[in-house]
Amino acid sequence: MPHSRSWTAPPTRREITLLLFSLTIFVLSYNLEASLGIVGVRPQKLTASYLSSLGLGTKDPGYDLDGRRPKEWRDDLEKLIAGDWEWREGEVSGVARGSASISGSGRTGMIYNFAANKRNARRAQLEDRGVSLSTGVTVKDQFVKWGKDVPETTVVAHTPGYSVLDNVVAVNGTFFVVANDWTKVPKLSDIASSSLDATKPPRVQDWHILTTRDAADMFGPYAAKIHGTSWLALGKAEAQDPYTLLSLFRTHSSLSTTAPSASFTSSSGLHIIAPPSGSPPAPSGIPAPLRIIYPYIPTFSSPNIPPGPGQDPKAHPPPRERAYTGTHPFLPKAVFPTLGAWFLEDWADLADMHVPFLLERVVVADRGAAERGREHWTPAAPAAEAPRADDLEKRAAPVKETAPAWAAPFFGLQAPEAWWAPVRAALLRYLHIDDNGAGAGGSNSNSRGVSLWGLAKKQTARKPVLAYVSMQDAPSGAGARLLDADHDRLVDGLQKLVREGVLGEVYVLKGNGSVPAPEWEARMSAIARSTFLVGPYGFQLADGVFMRSPLEVPAATEGKGHKQEDAPQRPPAPLLMEFFPPGTFVRDQQYAMQVLGIDYMAWWNGQIFTGDNLPEVVSQSTPAGQDLRVPLDVEAVMRTIREEAPKRTA
């Protein structure tokens, strides 16, 4: 009779083995997916292909790393919604591989995928190909631990009102310049103005200067970093106009020179004219701006109206009007695709975080500071204009006393002669216009074609193109406009010139208000191709800066091994004709044309002003809600166009 065992007897070896085996099987089978992942088997694939057919593993497998369901679980609806495309780890989903080229260097590029087996363009060989999953700015890069060594602010370029500064700190809405030697930085009143009154220097809560020791005590050892170049347009909406973008880009372009100038009066009263310390960056390595900041302009000029009593709170609110920044909202998107816009609300968000932000590079534009420091607009270099023989093309020398405030960087900062060419080229690409070396209005005066037998032949020049910016249909208060009778005679006369073959095309355009996208594109296409741009005075003519400047073509120089006739010849300059009421003259459009090498005429009815005989600057105010009516001698305009058209057609 076998020996009897009680429940309290110790387990035998066989019982312990059976217990451990059962527990192991239970654990592995209870969490099968996790167990398979330990040994390297994808549970989603195994579940979908095998276990589901056995009636097991019906748990939803979730999503793959590319954000889609596993391939075995996808159906037609999944492919319709999410798409059917190949994805590789380390790439951005949904971006075609190898189909895009780099549009910027360093951190200024956008998101691109490059095929491993496809040869990239020359610019694609850059070390940093832009922001992606493995390159560019990371979360770690946006955190700065400086301890007690707060970076000092460096003045890269400066003229009153327009500055390029590295390492500017912003805390609670205040900009801080950090410098131990205050004689190496301009006075804050030459950099910016009060946020309440642009005619006065900045308040302590607007701009402040600190030593590195004081900055470390005030800011602490940490900061967030705003990478790249930021454009800072100070001033409220009423202080902005179309030339804000022009002056900012001119200031930015000063970095392309061999040694960007820094002419300023320091806080101690010492006037300094010297290039910044250190070697300047190479022109090809200058990053594009990543953002433009309007710290005093709200996103919308119209208020947000909440739903009233009895109204559906979920109903879409009425559309709001965007605040005025001086340019059409489509223009920055077309010519600066990497440029984001920050407004008052965005700047307030940063201020409310109560942490220091280190701005890597800031290009500051403040017209109040430029106006106060007008006497210090030290010319950086002589005007780079090729000598011209025609009397019309003799332009008056820049006079800082009568120049607009936004012209300060054109006096005090150097820039390449073709500094505006990249912006116009970007607009032409956006509009799908092929300049192809053509002169103003599409004329191709110096290019040569190839005949069937390989012989060079001169291409036929195109006839001039004229764009007339009419304000007749603009709303009341939009700006000056011609008398209705003169407007009708002008349109009829221009159409007659087309029939006679004097002009190739004539466009009657609207002002640069908030027109829809197709109309804006057609308007800009006409102006960019124009030989003549005419219209009543006002900012509606400011888009004339996108006519082709002859300065885009390098001047012919005769040197060793180079013949002057072999060099590309500059095309004829376009002509802007601005119609003023007698006794009124403002110089904004004239000066913009002057710096771009484009010819300019001012009209008082039938009296013409060009070159050195421009009238004195006299502005005329009109009562609110009324528009100034401009008389015009249409016959004199027609005669002038007949005379000038052959000179601008080659």
Side-chain angles (χ1 to χ4, degrees):
M1 182 175 181
H3 180 72
S4 61
R5 302 179 66 241
S6 65
W7 286 102
T8 58
T12 62
R13 182 182 302 176
R14 185 182 67 174
E15 292 172 340
I16 294 176
T17 303
L18 289 174
L19 180 62
L20 292 177
F21 178 77
S22 301
L23 288 175
T24 302
I25 295 299
F26 172 77
V27 170
L28 292 177
S29 60
Y30 185 81
N31 197 2
L32 181 61
E33 293 182 358
S35 303
L36 294 175
I38 294 176
V39 297
V41 178
R42 290 186 59 191
Q44 295 95 333
K45 184 174 181 180
L46 185 60
T47 301
S49 56
Y50 297 102
L51 299 184
S52 297
S53 61
L54 300 175
L56 303 175
T58 56
K59 182 181 178 181
D60 191 334
Y63 296 92
D64 280 350
L65 297 178
D66 60 1
R68 296 179 296 175
R69 297 170 67 85
K71 185 177 296 185
E72 293 77 10
W73 283 71
R74 297 173 196 165
D75 52 16
D76 293 339
L77 181 61
E78 174 87 8
K79 295 178 181 179
L80 178 63
I81 296 175
D84 187 11
W85 32 265
E86 180 186 0
W87 176 78
R88 298 175 186 173
E89 189 172 358
E91 295 183 351
V92 179
S93 61
V95 178
R97 182 180 299 105
S99 61
S101 60
I102 289 183
S103 64
S105 59
R107 297 187 178 99
T108 63
M110 291 186 290
I111 300 176
Y112 296 96
N113 289 331
F114 294 92
N117 58 351
K118 181 177 179 179
R119 181 182 177 184
N120 297 323
R122 180 179 60 180
R123 289 178 57 83
Q125 305 301 325
L126 299 174
E127 180 179 357
D128 186 352
R129 295 179 178 177
V131 180
S132 67
L133 296 182
S134 57
T135 60
V137 180
T138 64
V139 176
K140 183 179 180 180
D141 295 331
Q142 297 175 354
F143 176 78
V144 179
K145 182 180 180 181
W146 55 40
K148 294 291 184 180
D149 300 325
V150 180
E152 290 194 57
T153 302
T154 304
V155 182
V156 182
H158 173 78
T159 195
Y162 293 86
S163 311
V164 182
L165 307 174
D166 287 351
N167 298 328
V168 175
V169 182
V171 185
N172 300 339
T174 302
F175 295 96
F176 288 88
V177 174
V178 181
N180 290 325
D181 187 355
W182 290 7
T183 63
K184 292 184 179 181
V185 297
K187 295 186 299 183
L188 295 183
S189 60
D190 285 342
I191 298 177
S193 303
S194 169
S195 59
L196 299 181
D197 187 355
T199 63
K200 297 180 180 179
R203 303 171 300 162
V204 175
Q205 55 266 47
D206 295 323
W207 285 76
H208 200 52
I209 185 170
L210 297 173
T211 62
T212 54
R213 176 180 297 179
D214 294 339
D217 294 338
M218 179 178 289
F219 302 151
Y222 306 104
K225 187 171 184 179
I226 300 177
H227 287 268
T229 301
S230 305
W231 285 359
L232 185 61
L234 301 177
K236 299 182 179 180
E238 54 268 20
Q240 307 300 325
D241 61 37
Y243 299 107
T244 299
L245 208 63
L246 187 78
S247 57
L248 275 169
F249 190 78
R250 170 67 181 217
T251 307
H252 194 137
S253 300
S254 65
L255 304 176
S256 301
T257 59
T258 305
S261 60
S263 171
F264 58 87
T265 301
S266 65
S267 302
S268 61
L270 180 65
H271 188 60
I272 300 174
I273 305 177
S277 59
S279 53
S284 60
I286 297 174
L290 294 184
R291 64 197 65 86
I292 181 169
I293 305 174
Y294 301 101
Y296 309 134
I297 302 178
T299 306
F300 299 100
S301 59
S302 58
N304 181 25
I305 303 177
Q311 295 182 350
D312 185 5
K314 297 182 179 180
H316 196 284
R320 302 174 64 185
E321 183 178 350
R322 295 188 67 89
Y324 179 70
T325 60
T327 58
H328 193 282
F330 294 148
L331 182 60
K333 298 177 182 179
V335 299
F336 301 113
T338 63
L339 190 69
W342 293 8
F343 291 91
L344 173 65
E345 297 86 353
D346 305 291
W347 190 247
D349 286 342
L350 267 64
D352 292 341
M353 295 177 69
H354 305 296
V355 296
F357 289 88
L358 178 65
L359 285 81
E360 186 174 15
R361 170 164 289 176
V362 183
V363 180
V364 186
D366 189 294
R367 298 191 185 186
E371 194 66 51
R372 290 192 304 272
R374 185 179 289 267
E375 61 181 5
H376 298 302
W377 291 7
T378 305
E385 293 186 8
R388 314 275 284 274
D390 195 292
D391 290 338
L392 176 65
E393 294 163 344
K394 293 179 180 178
R395 299 176 179 84
V399 180
K400 64 182 180 181
E401 289 76 16
T402 59
W406 57 261
F410 296 91
F411 284 87
L413 300 177
Q414 302 179 36
E417 197 173 46
W419 62 275
W420 186 245
V423 181
R424 182 175 181 271
L427 179 66
L428 295 183
R429 287 194 299 269
Y430 176 82
L431 299 173
H432 303 288
I433 297 177
D434 184 11
D435 224 14
N436 196 23
S443 61
N444 196 355
S445 56
N446 300 288
S447 59
R448 298 197 171 196
V450 179
S451 66
L452 178 63
W453 311 106
L455 302 176
K457 65 177 182 179
K458 189 174 182 179
Q459 293 186 352
T460 304
R462 300 178 184 176
K463 295 179 181 180
V465 177
L466 185 143
Y468 164 42
V469 181
S470 171
M471 298 292 291
Q472 304 303 119
D473 298 331
S476 179
R481 60 202 70 196
L482 297 181
L483 295 173
D484 292 337
D486 292 338
H487 165 77
D488 295 337
R489 284 195 295 268
L490 179 61
V491 174
D492 293 340
L494 294 176
Q495 293 175 350
K496 182 179 179 181
L497 293 181
V498 174
R499 293 193 298 268
E500 294 176 357
V502 178
L503 299 175
E505 300 172 75
V506 169
Y507 296 94
V508 180
L509 310 174
K510 294 182 180 180
N512 55 352
S514 298
V515 297
E519 187 175 344
W520 179 83
E521 292 179 2
R523 181 182 188 277
M524 296 304 298
S525 298
I527 293 177
R529 297 174 52 248
S530 291
T531 313
F532 296 92
L533 180 63
V534 303
Y537 82 101
F539 291 139
Q540 64 271 8
L541 297 178
D543 288 329
V545 297
F546 290 102
M547 293 192 291
R548 192 180 190 201
S549 168
L551 302 182
E552 294 180 10
V553 180
T557 56
E558 191 171 358
K560 184 177 180 181
H562 298 279
K563 296 182 179 180
Q564 189 168 359
E565 56 269 16
D566 295 336
Q569 301 298 314
R570 284 182 168 171
L575 173 61
L576 186 143
M577 302 169 67
E578 191 172 14
F579 308 138
F580 292 91
T584 301
F585 181 69
V586 292
R587 201 164 183 173
D588 291 81
Q589 273 68 247
Q590 183 274 333
Y591 192 81
M593 297 300 102
Q594 174 180 308
V595 297
L596 294 175
I598 299 174
D599 293 331
Y600 176 85
M601 277 187 182
W603 288 73
W604 283 359
N605 201 347
Q607 188 177 1
I608 304 175
F609 300 92
T610 61
D612 296 328
N613 70 332
L614 292 172
E616 295 293 330
V617 175
V618 180
S619 60
Q620 181 175 350
S621 60
T622 57
Q626 297 184 12
D627 296 304
L628 201 60
R629 292 286 176 167
V630 181
L632 183 65
D633 188 343
V634 177
E635 295 300 326
V637 174
M638 296 299 106
R639 288 195 302 269
T640 303
I641 294 176
R642 291 179 187 274
E643 295 172 359
E644 295 297 331
K647 302 176 185 178
R648 303 169 200 282
T649 306

